[in-house]
Amino acid sequence: MDKYFVSMQGEIPKYITITRHIKRLIDINKIEDGEKLPSIRSLSEFLNVNNVTIVNAYKRLQNEGYAVQKMGSGTYAKKKDITKNFKKEYSEALKKISGKMVKEYVDFTGETPSNDFFPVQSFKDVLNEVLDRDGAEALIYQEALGYEGLRKSISEVFWNKKIKSDDILIVSGAQQGIDIVSKALINTNDNVIVEKPTYSGALSVFKWRRANIYEVPIGKDGIDVDKFEKILKKNNIKCFYTMSYFQNPTGMSYSIEKKQQILNLAEIYDFYIIEDDYLAELIYDHSIKYKSFKSLDKNDRVIYIKSFSKIFLPGIRIGYLIPPMKFKESIENSKINTDISTSSLMQRALDLYIKKGLWKDYMNNLNHIYKNRYLLMEECIKSHLENKVDFISPGGGLNFYLKIKDSIYVDSIELFRKTKDKKVLITPGTLFYKSPSEGKKYFRISFSQTDEEAMQKGLSIINELLE
């Protein structure tokens, strides 16, 4: 018994202190699920408190789902799965706080740049020019691959004509790209590797395809290659899903050396890389050099997915995909079977926006704005949450991924609920793991929708709740 309770510090009310301590021991598996707790009499004697204090503590544990009482036998620990059904709770909470109501909150959940910075007038001018130029033709679905003008612009501006326009497929955002690739490549019981943690939308797609999902931890410069290869040696892997820059949620980016290693392994072990090129336009640390997996790919092993929605405007729902020749036809068919064609008007408008150089101007402006916010958020985390969280500065993107120190009892789901009550929104790490309980000590905060005042206010509230 003393191995469990010698470190406990008493305070009034005592039964709450005892309850919290036992909960903590259950959470960290010092007391195992189903283990019998000390009798009321023995624990009261050991802690030098009266029996009523222990009775109240055990009742509270039962009410909070951390213990069960078996008549005539005693009280037993119960491991509470607080992650169960949380994804639904999180989604419904954000839906309720959507629209005008969200302005009442400090919103650290954003994944896209703020609408405040979107050049509405210049895009409106481009739309009008397209309608004047093309008339009703701009509104008609035509080419299955996507508008030829946009595909040519992507080839010329983003790939320096190294990728042919006929090898580019326009899709309705990255999520649809992941979905149609999965439909074309992945069957029931196929083996897929993902980063740990990873984008929840991709996890949902692979689970829906009933794939076997293997996770590899991601570090400062990419996944652990040794652990990655151990999985490759033991299993026939179909594909590896990766976010090569400012990975969601960790913010980590791959070194060029690690990309080369993974591309070599893809050839050796015959698997394909699904590269979700996420937020690579927002590089603030110039020691990070941009070179995608696709640009390094000599063996046609990379399925490249890029969304304009994330970095430009979510409502546009446009992205593009570059498949390997082996899967070109099946992926194109998968796209046609999904929705025939992406909005013709928006494709033409985006094409003209890129051709006029407005895209480059907008990206330069975003980089300037968000680099300043990034540096401010980094400084605010250090000053407000010192000794409460650990984190690695990503050097770009829109997020920071924080780990609550083990000495603090609160988990990220509990923190989400408490911050929501204080009108602050965060994203718990449980959403990014195949086994949600592994993300209980992590949470993601984004600075995409927060100015300096909101940052300071939100982080101060988080600090108070982590005390």
Side-chain angles (χ1 to χ4, degrees), residues 178-180 182-184 186-188 201-211 213 334 338:
I178 297 166
D179 184 56
I180 65 174
S182 297
K183 287 176 181 175
I186 300 169
N187 298 308
T188 301
L203 271 180
S204 297
V205 169
F206 298 141
K207 286 178 180 178
W208 180 72
R209 295 299 296 172
R210 297 184 179 179
I213 301 171
S334 179
T338 300

Side-chain angles (χ1 to χ4, degrees), residues 164 167 272 294 300 302 323-330:
K164 293 187 293 185
D167 294 333
Y272 288 82
K294 188 66 180 176
D300 211 20
V302 177
M325 287 306 298
K326 181 177 179 180
F327 300 113
K328 189 172 186 287
E329 186 177 351
S330 61

Side-chain angles (χ1 to χ4, degrees), residues 359-372:
W359 170 266
K360 187 176 180 181
D361 293 341
Y362 178 54
M363 287 302 106
N364 288 339
N365 187 43
L366 274 190
N367 256 280
H368 175 71
I369 292 167
Y370 279 113
K371 181 176 181 179
N372 291 334

Side-chain angles (χ1 to χ4, degrees), residues 449-464:
Q449 307 294 327
T450 53
D451 57 22
E452 180 176 353
E453 183 181 352
M455 263 184 224
Q456 299 278 8
K457 179 183 176 183
L459 290 171
S460 292
I461 290 170
I462 293 172
N463 176 54
E464 290 170 12

Side-chain angles (χ1 to χ4, degrees), residues 139-203:
L139 305 172
I140 298 170
Y141 292 123
Q142 291 175 324
E143 300 152 275
L145 291 181
Y147 177 55
E148 186 179 7
L150 177 57
R151 288 186 284 114
K152 283 183 176 178
S153 290
I154 290 169
S155 171
E156 291 170 9
V157 176
F158 301 116
W159 293 94
N160 200 24
K161 296 185 180 180
K162 291 178 182 176
I163 301 291
K164 293 187 293 185
S165 61
D166 285 349
D167 294 333
I168 294 169
L169 174 65
I170 304 299
V171 295
S172 301
Q175 184 66 38
Q176 187 189 67
I178 297 166
D179 184 56
I180 65 174
V181 167
S182 297
K183 287 176 181 175
L185 266 71
I186 300 169
N187 298 308
T188 301
N189 290 327
D190 278 347
N191 299 320
V192 176
I193 298 179
V194 299
E195 296 151 342
K196 180 181 177 181
T198 192
Y199 169 50
S200 59
L203 271 180

Side-chain angles (χ1 to χ4, degrees), residues 244-268:
S244 47
Y245 284 88
F246 313 120
Q247 191 255 11
N248 187 8
T250 65
M252 298 299 98
S253 298
Y254 282 73
S255 65
I256 293 173
E257 293 75 19
K258 191 154 281 190
K259 289 192 184 91
Q260 294 282 17
Q261 285 180 288
I262 293 168
L263 285 164
N264 291 338
L265 290 172
E267 189 66 11
I268 293 168

Side-chain angles (χ1 to χ4, degrees), residues 64-88:
E64 294 183 14
Y66 275 88
V68 290
Q69 187 177 35
K70 298 180 182 179
M71 295 302 293
S73 178
T75 304
Y76 292 80
K78 182 182 177 184
K79 186 80 171 177
K80 187 180 178 186
D81 184 8
I82 61 169
T83 63
K84 192 176 182 182
N85 298 324
F86 177 72
K87 188 173 182 180
K88 184 178 179 182

